[in-house]
Amino acid sequence: MSGNKLGKYIFFGALAGGLISLCDRATREDVVNKSRSFMSDVRYYSKNPDVVKLKLQEKSEKYQSIYEQVANDATYFKGKMDELKELSPQVKELVVDTKDAFTEAKDDYKAMVSEDSTSDSTGK
């Protein structure tokens, strides 16, 4: 029972708020102008239903083309992600090989430097 009262009170509150807001002259004039414009549009489209049909077709075609573009972009990005997944192990292997080569070269350079320093101290 209280649910019925809640809905009724919300409706009356909205109605009272609307009536109070119409006390402002600018709001009242705006509501009148928009109502006239709306009624004018209703009369025009009721006399010219082909215009409504044409506008709906244009909107439908526009949204269809947007959908197709998004679908194509998604397919493209999916392909690129798959390509990246395939390349990732190869790139990882390349990075590991490069790191190993630098580590080996570093060890070789250390050995060379240590040999030079020991031969310098013994040779003098």
Side-chain angles (χ1 to χ4, degrees):
M1 184 102 173
S2 65
N4 292 337
K5 288 182 184 179
L6 177 65
K8 192 185 311 183
Y9 290 145
I10 289 175
F11 174 75
F12 287 130
L15 187 62
L19 290 174
I20 291 170
S21 67
L22 288 177
C23 291
D24 179 42
R25 183 180 192 144
T27 303
R28 201 171 43 247
E29 289 173 356
D30 188 47
V31 168
V32 169
N33 289 337
K34 285 185 180 180
S35 297
R36 285 183 184 154
S37 174
F38 175 74
M39 291 308 294
S40 174
D41 289 346
V42 167
R43 278 188 230 111
Y44 174 76
Y45 289 125
S46 66
K47 291 178 183 174
N48 302 302
D50 292 338
V51 175
V52 174
K53 183 178 177 183
L54 181 64
K55 285 187 176 187
L56 289 174
Q57 283 177 335
E58 289 174 357
K59 289 285 185 183
S60 174
E61 290 170 359
K62 177 182 172 184
Y63 290 126
Q64 182 67 29
S65 68
I66 291 171
Y67 171 77
E68 289 172 0
Q69 182 66 35
V70 169
N72 290 339
D73 290 347
T75 303
Y76 173 77
F77 287 128
K78 184 181 181 307
K80 288 296 181 182
M81 291 300 291
D82 291 341
E83 190 177 312
L84 183 62
K85 286 178 185 176
E86 291 174 10
L87 286 177
S88 290
Q90 295 170 354
V91 170
K92 181 180 176 185
E93 184 178 329
L94 178 66
V95 168
V96 168
D97 290 345
T98 304
K99 178 187 170 213
D100 291 344
F102 277 117
T103 304
E104 289 174 10
K106 177 181 161 187
D107 293 340
D108 291 342
Y109 290 136
K110 280 184 181 179
M112 284 184 204
V113 168
S114 65
E115 285 175 8
D116 286 342
S117 64
T118 54
S119 64
D120 286 344
S121 63
T122 56
K124 285 187 177 180

